[in-house]
Amino acid sequence: MVPITTVHYLVVAAALFVLGVIGVLIRRNVVIVLMSIELILNAVNLNLVAFSRMWGTIHGQANLQGQVFAIFIIVDAAAEAAVGLGILIAFFRNKETVNVDEIDLLKW
Amino acid sequence: MNPGMNAALNSGMAPVATPWFFYALAGLAVLSGVLVITLRNAVHAALALIVTLLSVASLYLMLYAPFVAGVQIVVYAGGIMVLFLFVIMLVNIERSSKERRFNRIWPAGLAAACALLALFVSAFVKGKALFMDRGMPLPESSNTQQIATMLYGEAGRMGQYTFAFEIASLLLLVAILGAVIMTKKKI
Amino acid sequence: MPNFIMSYLGSTVTPGEAGNQFWALIYVLIIFAGVSVAVIAMNWIERKALAHFQVRLGPMRVGPHGLLQPIADAVKLMLKEDIIPAEADQFVFWVAPLIGLLAAFTVYTVIPFGPSQAVSDMNIGILFMLGVSSLGVLGVVVAGWASNSHYPLIGALRSSAQMVSYEVAMGLAVVSAILMTSMNASGTGTLSMIGIVQAQQQQGVWFIFKFFPLGLLALVVFAIAMIAETNRAPFDLAEAESELTAGYHTEYSGLRWSLFMLSEYTAMIAVSSIAVTLWLGGWLRPFPNLLHAPAWDFIFSLFPGLTFLGLAAIAFIGTARMPSQSFFKIQRIGLAVFAALLGFIALLLLVIAVAGRSADTSLAARFNEGIGYVYWFVLKVAVFMYLFIWYRATWPRYRFDQLMKIGWKVMLPISLGVLMVTAIVGVIVS
């Protein structure tokens, strides 16, 4: 078996990213769209951590900047999920639907 | 479980899982990702997303990032997914199983995503030389301490990301306030 | 292969560190068996203790003094009809108890019973524990949803809201204990469970007594949070029969319900083990540094044998006091056999303690040491278990809004305050 290199992790991250993009573009249910956004963020995190592993050491110490960036993205994803779901609940009170193509109150 | 593997494990600094683990976890992550975007029932899709998050956390463990894996399990799988499940239960009572799953313009979305995939594939095939793996095993036992040094600083100096850390906590405060105010019935 | 197995036997690290999968599997099986026995014993002790608190006798018929009652319960639950509600989501209904059970049992991977007696001493042990126990909330939420019925849904939402709220206070109390591990010469703490107990040993003080009363206050906050985490009284609104007809596990019957009960008791033992490891010194015997002479080591190593001797004596007294009619004969014989078994275990432990008295590395000495570690750990966890039962017998239930108010408005500020004061005191002292 080939040893697992960085490119293997990048391919997995790319696959998850494309799956997330498909989910955002195709699904009608807003909650599933938000979950696809979480998939995209996870793909980005995997990319960052794989690169932090690839760059090895800097100044003799392990280069963990990618991992710190990934932690910040996880924090950010939590904030964004909370706010996004809050918006969804506020909208659901008005129109009783969770389908993206029925959220068209501004259309004329 | 052969002695050869044990010798390899004992000689290195930190145990590295075999390629079999990588293929199993990566396959599980991608399969659950496909389930997330195709399942009709939102609760099933949330459970599939939990499986994806846990397998990505295991991939972080393989990449010598135990702290990020722990944070992923605590925050993502244990916090954000509970939030998603709560909202699904508040919002999605029983109607969605009879409705259409996909948009009316889903071919256009799929085409755009395939173009993106083609871009990624060409980047990986042509730029393979850029992603040269140094192959150095990172020490696992001081991962948390080193991340803490970067985030908090040491010996009286500020760390490299201390300012960003404080801004992130401010961001979380704003998100909490926003979520609470938006879901109140009367402000 | 045999030298792969034998090569671990003399080592001083956990099987996870040594990369030895065989012994890790053996440890996992031992922990699984031990926790199952503990859950069964806990079931019996809870029914007898609650009964005696309420001035009645509890189960007396099934075995001598009801000792076989848990086994009868288990058999009954296994033979009950497995009812699934008509419109319930089949797959999710099946998987919900498993999520809770997996989350409860996975915590045992990091719990140390001795300096090298853990399945794996992860570098991020405490973080792993917090993460995995927050996965248990998912099992509750999904169980309530899958039952497709009002009471389970409301019970599940309430129960999971309660668990999530008290997780915050629990995490902050844990952080203040971790902070105390860094008050040593090099100023570096550790997140690994074995490292935390070794920090207590090195600093010569259990963290409950460190910077008194800060350690005690952190333990009190953690103890209250862990009762709320496991949905036990007085925070058991979501599953009490008089309130919500048993909450999120209403629609579960037979073996599935017993899986929920198993995961609840397992989670109780797991969080008690965490509390013991963080604040009460884990496997350390009382005064490990102060009373260090071999004579004191020998006296403390007699404790396991003497405990079992005491239990055997109680069982013998019970045998003697049993009524002498003929239909009590088999119960009398059963209790006498049980007492003899306990006495035999006591004799074995005393023999090992005496034989391992010399400080060399003979097999008896190593057994003695290992038994001592496990005994002190289990004793401290048993104290916490008894406290769980005591709280259930004594205190009335909290109303849900009172419960949430305590979680957010009392526990969170107190644990934040303890954390800040601990940090300030630590900086001043060092």
Side-chain angles (χ1 to χ4, degrees):
Chain A
M1 284 233 125
V2 291
I4 303 292
T5 60
T6 309
V7 178
H8 288 87
Y9 290 102
L10 297 184
V11 165
V12 175
L16 281 175
F17 190 89
V18 169
L19 285 173
V21 166
I22 295 179
V24 169
L25 291 174
I26 284 190
R27 291 296 300 238
R28 283 179 81 208
N29 195 339
V30 175
V31 185
I32 306 231
V33 167
L34 285 170
M35 287 201 263
S36 312
I37 297 179
E38 301 298 330
L39 267 184
I40 294 176
L41 287 169
N42 267 299
V44 169
N45 267 343
L46 191 55
N47 236 342
L48 283 167
V49 174
F51 276 126
S52 118
R53 161 87 175 89
M54 180 183 106
W55 281 107
T57 64
I58 182 170
H59 304 312
Q61 261 205 336
N63 186 12
L64 295 178
Q65 304 200 347
Q67 296 183 14
V68 172
F69 204 158
I71 293 177
F72 279 119
I73 290 186
I74 293 177
V75 166
D76 190 58
E80 164 230 327
V83 170
L85 291 168
I87 294 179
L88 170 66
I89 292 182
F91 194 85
F92 181 76
R93 270 206 208 112
N94 274 325
K95 206 163 182 284
E96 287 277 328
T97 178
V98 284
N99 290 323
V100 187
D101 41 0
E102 293 173 19
I103 301 179
D104 55 358
L105 285 174
L106 281 179
K107 241 200 237 181
W108 55 312
Chain B
M1 220 158 65
N2 48 340
M5 188 164 80
N6 191 29
L9 289 172
N10 277 337
S11 64
M13 224 186 301
V16 178
T18 56
W20 187 87
F21 263 120
F22 170 77
Y23 286 116
L25 288 170
L28 187 63
V30 172
L31 176 64
S32 318
V34 170
L35 285 178
V36 169
I37 64 173
T38 54
L39 281 174
R40 187 179 289 274
N41 190 343
V43 173
H44 291 173
L47 289 178
L49 186 59
I50 292 170
V51 173
T52 311
L53 294 173
L54 290 177
S55 42
V56 168
S58 315
L59 285 174
Y60 291 158
L61 277 177
M62 284 184 63
L63 283 167
Y64 296 99
F67 189 72
V68 183
V71 168
Q72 165 107 347
I73 296 181
V74 174
V75 171
Y76 243 125
I80 297 181
M81 291 320 296
V82 173
L83 178 63
F84 266 104
L85 280 169
F86 267 36
V87 170
I88 291 175
M89 287 174 199
L90 280 174
V91 152
N92 238 358
I93 319 287
E94 278 316 309
R95 265 171 303 124
S96 59
S97 52
K98 301 170 195 61
E99 296 188 340
R100 257 191 358 245
R101 264 189 297 176
F102 299 137
N103 265 330
R104 232 162 272 160
I105 52 170
W106 65 269
L110 205 54
C114 286
L116 187 61
L117 183 64
L119 178 64
F120 280 141
V121 166
S122 74
F124 288 143
V125 161
K126 291 207 180 168
K128 216 174 181 125
L130 284 176
F131 307 126
M132 215 171 36
D133 198 9
R134 316 267 162 107
M136 287 182 251
L138 301 178
E140 230 178 271
S141 56
S142 59
N143 188 335
T144 312
Q145 281 86 345
Q146 286 174 344
I147 292 186
T149 307
M150 275 206 215
L151 284 179
Y152 295 121
E154 64 172 341
R157 299 180 317 166
M158 250 177 36
Q160 206 176 357
Y161 293 102
T162 304
F163 188 62
F165 184 73
E166 301 295 331
I167 300 289
S169 61
L170 203 58
L171 170 73
L172 283 174
L173 176 67
V174 169
I176 291 175
L177 285 174
V180 166
I181 290 180
M182 267 190 298
T183 51
K184 268 171 105 69
K185 290 221 169 95
K186 292 169 79 74
I187 302 181
Chain C
M1 180 70 101
N3 50 347
F4 182 71
I5 298 177
M6 289 297 150
S7 68
Y8 175 70
L9 277 177
S11 89
T12 54
V13 294
T14 62
E17 304 287 300
N20 197 320
Q21 294 91 342
F22 175 75
W23 279 104
L25 188 63
I26 297 286
Y27 275 32
V28 164
L29 290 175
I30 291 178
I31 287 179
F32 192 71
V35 167
S36 304
V37 167
V39 166
I40 288 177
M42 186 57 193
N43 200 357
W44 179 79
I45 295 176
E46 174 158 26
R47 290 185 70 164
K48 292 297 273 190
L50 274 179
H52 284 273
F53 271 110
Q54 296 162 357
V55 196
R56 56 185 172 90
L57 281 176
M60 294 285 280
R61 283 186 178 270
V62 183
H65 285 272
L67 280 168
L68 296 178
Q69 179 74 35
I71 301 179
D73 279 339
V75 170
K76 174 204 84 166
L77 284 170
M78 277 192 261
L79 295 178
K80 255 190 166 183
E81 180 190 355
D82 186 23
I83 303 175
I84 302 183
E87 299 286 323
D89 200 338
Q90 297 278 339
F91 172 68
V92 178
F93 194 81
W94 169 77
V95 94
L98 296 182
I99 298 180
L101 200 61
L102 282 173
F105 268 106
T106 311
V107 178
Y108 287 94
T109 320
V110 290
I111 292 180
F113 295 92
S116 68
Q117 279 92 330
V119 175
S120 161
D121 180 31
M122 286 196 215
N123 190 28
I124 48 157
I126 273 293
L127 191 59
F128 180 77
M129 185 284 295
L130 281 173
V132 168
S133 60
S134 64
L135 287 179
V137 181
L138 290 168
V140 168
V141 169
V142 157
W145 170 259
S147 303
N148 197 27
S149 158
H150 297 295
Y151 286 130
L153 188 60
I154 299 178
L157 289 176
R158 280 189 180 178
S159 176
S160 54
Q162 162 190 331
M163 285 165 92
V164 164
S165 317
Y166 282 88
E167 251 168 36
V168 183
M170 202 161 92
L172 283 172
V174 163
V175 167
S176 77
I178 304 286
L179 197 57
M180 290 186 201
T181 65
S182 69
M183 317 227 162
N184 52 7
S186 69
T188 313
T190 172
L191 285 179
S192 87
M193 305 281 274
I194 293 185
I196 293 173
V197 180
Q198 283 170 343
Q200 296 184 55
Q201 188 174 18
Q202 189 193 30
Q203 298 178 22
V205 60
W206 288 358
F207 285 158
I208 183 178
F209 299 120
K210 196 171 172 78
F211 298 151
F212 198 82
L214 288 175
L216 180 64
L217 210 52
L219 175 61
V220 165
V221 167
F222 187 84
I224 298 178
M226 81 182 179
I227 304 175
E229 273 290 308
T230 50
N231 282 328
R232 288 283 292 187
F235 299 113
D236 62 347
L237 189 78
E239 64 175 30
E241 285 95 21
S242 58
E243 304 282 344
L244 273 177
T245 64
Y248 61 91
H249 47 77
T250 309
E251 300 285 344
Y252 286 84
S253 61
L255 200 59
R256 297 184 208 269
W257 183 84
S258 70
L259 285 179
F260 272 118
M261 283 300 109
L262 182 63
S263 74
E264 175 175 322
Y265 280 115
T266 308
M268 275 166 63
I269 301 177
V271 288
S272 304
S273 311
I274 304 291
V276 161
T277 309
L278 257 68
W279 281 279
L280 286 179
W283 65 78
L284 298 172
R285 66 171 173 82
F287 305 112
N289 296 335
L290 201 56
L291 301 171
H292 193 59
W296 281 107
D297 277 343
F298 175 62
I299 291 180
F300 277 113
S301 69
L302 287 176
F303 269 70
L306 290 176
T307 310
F308 272 95
L309 207 57
L311 288 175
I314 295 176
F316 267 123
I317 295 177
T319 317
R321 287 180 52 178
M322 218 166 242
S324 48
Q325 277 91 344
S326 63
F327 34 77
F328 281 104
K329 199 157 67 142
I330 185 158
Q331 286 205 0
R332 202 168 188 172
I333 296 176
L335 193 56
V337 165
F338 187 64
L341 190 64
L342 287 175
F344 176 67
I345 297 178
L347 208 60
L348 197 62
L349 290 172
L350 284 173
V351 160
I352 292 180
V354 168
R357 187 164 35 149
S358 55
D360 63 357
T361 56
S362 69
L363 196 62
R366 292 223 327 259
F367 258 115
N368 194 18
E369 231 178 43
I371 288 177
Y373 293 142
V374 176
Y375 169 74
W376 287 108
F377 186 83
V378 171
L379 183 68
K380 295 173 197 173
V381 173
V383 167
F384 269 96
M385 291 287 110
Y386 187 70
L387 284 176
F388 267 113
I389 301 176
W390 197 349
Y391 301 152
R392 181 175 177 185
T394 321
W395 288 333
R397 209 165 278 140
Y398 274 107
R399 217 174 52 221
F400 190 66
D401 61 322
Q402 289 172 337
L403 201 157
M404 297 298 274
K405 185 168 83 95
I406 292 176
W408 289 105
K409 293 190 191 171
V410 175
M411 289 286 118
L412 183 58
I414 290 180
S415 54
L416 263 179
V418 163
L419 178 63
M420 286 198 282
V421 175
T422 308
I424 294 174
V425 170
V427 165
I428 292 177
V429 161
S430 75

